[in-house]
Amino acid sequence: MRNDRDDGPVRRDWRDVLTDATDLAVLGIALTLAALPVVTSAAAVAAASAAVHDRYTDGCWPCARENLTRFGRALLPGAGVSVLTVAVLGLLALDLAALAGGRVPGGAPLLLVTTLVVAAVAGYAALAVVEIGRAGGRGWRDAARAAAGVCRARPGTWAAACGVSAVAALLAVLVTPVAVPILAGYAVAALHAVARRAVLAPMGQP
């Protein structure tokens, strides 16, 4: 007799969805806590991105030991990236605040151009986060190079990453501060989901 239950893909029920949602919330909280010293933020992002990549690729999350190993391995290489990222974000935020407050000449047109530049930079950085995850949390320089290649070859993916970053930033402002760490895990997962819709360039290749 034919067994229909063995035909076709296995359907996910609400328990699977709830499990994934909980795992992403825990990931976001762990990411936020690990990034609190600021200089560890790049290492925390790299480890979280690698964990999400494993979940999408292998269907399961890496163990806690593997996550800690990746985090520790990325601490020193990521310290400079953390400081540089915070400095760039701070300068861009000050620039936007000055334009929005009318303290810098240029008005609405310059504010719009600056906002678009910020969105483009955020999208590029988001693709670098995806690439570092694909490399197991190692190699920010190669990840940045690969992300630049994706921006040139697939501007649609770049635009989608910009959109995800913008929505995440907007939600971070609107939601209660307690929910921001949870949002971080969902943002990383959304970036990987967007990037997987296109064939990304291998690490180290333009």
Side-chain angles (χ1 to χ4, degrees), residues 1-7:
M1 180 179 295
R2 180 180 175 181
N3 188 353
D4 292 335
R5 291 177 300 177
D6 295 334
D7 296 335

Side-chain angles (χ1 to χ4, degrees), residues 86-193:
V86 171
V88 171
L89 290 176
L91 290 174
L92 290 175
L94 288 175
D95 192 15
L96 285 174
L99 287 170
R103 295 189 298 272
V104 176
L110 186 56
L111 177 61
L112 177 60
V113 171
T114 305
T115 302
L116 292 176
V117 170
V118 172
V121 172
Y124 164 72
L127 290 176
V129 169
V130 173
E131 291 289 350
I132 196 71
R134 295 177 67 228
R138 306 179 71 172
W140 277 107
R141 183 175 298 179
D142 288 340
R145 189 180 299 115
V150 174
C151 292
R152 290 193 302 269
R154 301 176 182 87
T157 302
W158 185 12
C162 293
V164 171
S165 302
V167 171
L170 179 61
L171 291 177
V173 174
L174 296 178
V175 302
T176 177
V178 178
V180 173
I182 298 175
L183 177 63
Y186 286 101
V188 175
L191 290 174
H192 276 268

